[in-house]
Amino acid sequence: MTTVALAITDGMLHLELSLAIEVFGADLTHIVDPWYDFALCGPSAVQVGRFRVDPDHGLDYLRRADTVIVPGWADVDQDPPVELVDAVRAAHEAGARVASLCTGAFVLAAAGLLDGRRATTHWAHTDELSRRHPQVTVDPDILYVDNGSVLTSAGKAAAMDLCLHLVRLDHGSAIANTIARRLVVPPHREGGQAQFVTTPVPAPGNHPLADLFPWVLQRLDRALTVEDLARQAGMSSRHLARHFKSVTGTTPLQWLLTQRIRHAQELLETSDDTVDTIATSTGMGTATTLRRHFARTVGVPPDAYRRTFRPRTRPALPASANSRSLPPRTTGAR
């Protein structure tokens, strides 16, 4: 997936447009080389908020791209431009992976790409998407949906989650983590085979567990208990569980298990350690335990994951590539 084309027309939402440009259009060859070949594609100069944007190519260029990204636009009460819909449909028929950000899902739906599929968009517009396209299964409660060659995201910050998800699919979790650190956002934790993510990206440092998370992530090789976490956080186990539910949407033990699995993914990608060694490094104890939890969470066993996400020749990673992510929070608009 080397060529990414961003489809633009008048009235596009500038935040989603900017996020896609920042992830795919920046020169990140110092992190991984080659990076994406990026192109802005539109019928002519377009108006995005107060700015005029000159595309690199016309919409017919979308058919030459490996990945086509369709940002949202403000006026969802109007049908999307026919020329944009036709170009996106033609790109998908030519083999492109097509992803929408926020209300860009209306373009994909108009092109028939969401028929019989699950999809999402900004929560404020999910009812309208369902009404206009009843053949689409619209889920208002998820962050994004990955249907393989067709992906949709919810609104605003969820666009970043989907962009990082695409990077993860193409380059692996360690590279996605590095990009996320560069952008000063946590990488999206639910990767691998997981299609549906139910919680948005966290805002670091604005919740009672902000200091606890880094402490835990530095000690994943240890046999931590809920009592250990509660003691470090300076609260009772009951209060800890309540805060975890509010901030992460899950329990302390489930969150801890997820962090161990994500760390195992990074080690499988970036090291030659055996599964036994990785089981010890992630606090899973034995290879049997790691394999059981890994397969249940990611959908494939560790050895198969390594073969998929660790090609024979990988670029050298900076030290920050081995950083671990913070958990998502469950509040705030998507």
Side-chain angles (χ1 to χ4, degrees):
M1 296 295 177
T2 59
T3 303
V4 174
L6 192 60
I8 58 175
T9 59
D10 286 337
M12 288 288 181
L13 298 172
H14 63 274
L15 176 61
E16 289 80 352
L17 185 72
S18 300
L19 290 177
I21 293 174
E22 185 64 28
V23 173
F24 300 104
D27 181 6
L28 301 180
T29 52
H30 62 287
I31 296 176
V32 57
D33 191 7
W35 190 236
Y36 298 97
D37 293 325
F38 181 78
L40 288 173
C41 301
S44 60
V46 301
Q47 191 74 30
V48 180
R50 297 181 179 181
F51 305 99
R52 295 288 289 177
V53 178
D54 291 316
D56 304 309
H57 304 280
L59 289 173
D60 58 338
Y61 186 84
L62 298 180
R63 289 176 293 179
R64 300 172 54 184
D66 300 305
T67 299
V68 171
I69 297 178
V70 183
W73 75 95
D75 192 4
V76 296
D77 293 331
Q78 301 294 323
D79 290 333
V82 174
E83 58 182 342
L84 175 62
V85 172
D86 291 343
V88 169
R89 183 190 300 114
H92 186 260
E93 291 174 350
R97 177 178 62 183
V98 178
S100 65
L101 308 179
C102 194
T103 51
F106 283 83
V107 176
L108 272 59
L113 304 187
L114 301 182
D115 291 355
R117 289 186 165 120
R118 202 170 202 181
T120 193
T121 188
H122 193 289
W123 60 267
H125 304 294
T126 51
D127 288 345
E128 179 63 14
L129 184 62
S130 293
R131 187 189 68 80
R132 288 161 61 176
H133 302 280
Q135 64 275 47
V136 180
T137 302
V138 180
D139 192 330
D141 298 321
I142 59 178
L143 185 62
Y144 65 78
V145 179
D146 180 348
N147 288 302
S149 64
V150 179
L151 305 90
T152 55
S153 85
K156 304 304 178 186
M160 177 61 76
D161 284 282
L162 181 52
C163 289
L164 289 175
H165 176 66
L166 292 172
V167 172
R168 182 187 182 94
L169 292 175
D170 297 341
H171 296 286
S173 62
I175 295 297
N177 288 353
T178 303
I179 304 303
R181 284 180 64 85
R182 175 184 176 273
L183 298 172
V184 200
V185 297
H188 198 36
R189 297 187 306 119
E190 299 293 340
Q193 303 301 306
Q195 286 191 343
F196 306 108
V197 185
T198 57
T199 49
V201 173
N206 66 345
H207 52 75
L209 304 180
D211 293 333
L212 178 64
F213 292 143
W215 182 87
V216 173
L217 294 175
Q218 293 171 4
R219 295 165 175 80
L220 289 178
D221 58 332
R222 305 182 188 182
L224 298 173
T225 65
V226 173
E227 288 72 24
D228 293 330
L229 272 61
R231 189 179 307 111
Q232 178 63 27
M235 61 183 68
S236 68
S237 297
R238 178 176 298 179
H239 281 121
L240 180 76
R242 187 155 46 240
H243 283 303
F244 257 90
K245 185 66 175 178
S246 174
V247 173
T248 73
T250 189
T251 66
L253 286 180
Q254 184 58 50
W255 177 83
L256 181 58
L257 175 62
T258 300
Q259 303 313 307
R260 298 190 194 281
I261 294 298
R262 298 311 171 218
H263 187 32
Q265 287 179 287
E266 292 189 11
L267 292 175
L268 288 166
E269 293 181 31
T270 61
S271 78
D272 294 319
D273 292 347
T274 65
V275 175
D276 290 279
T277 300
I278 292 175
T280 300
S281 300
T282 57
M284 302 294 282
T286 67
T288 300
T289 301
L290 174 59
R291 286 191 172 96
R292 181 175 71 253
H293 288 294
F294 194 96
R296 185 179 63 188
T297 302
V298 181
V300 295
D303 295 327
Y305 182 88
R306 171 172 270 169
R307 288 193 298 270
T308 300
F309 286 93
R310 190 171 188 264
R312 293 180 181 177
T313 302
R314 292 190 66 88
L317 298 176
S320 62
N322 291 319
S323 63
R324 304 179 192 118
S325 58
L326 295 181
R329 62 186 172 113
T330 56
T331 58
R334 299 190 305 278

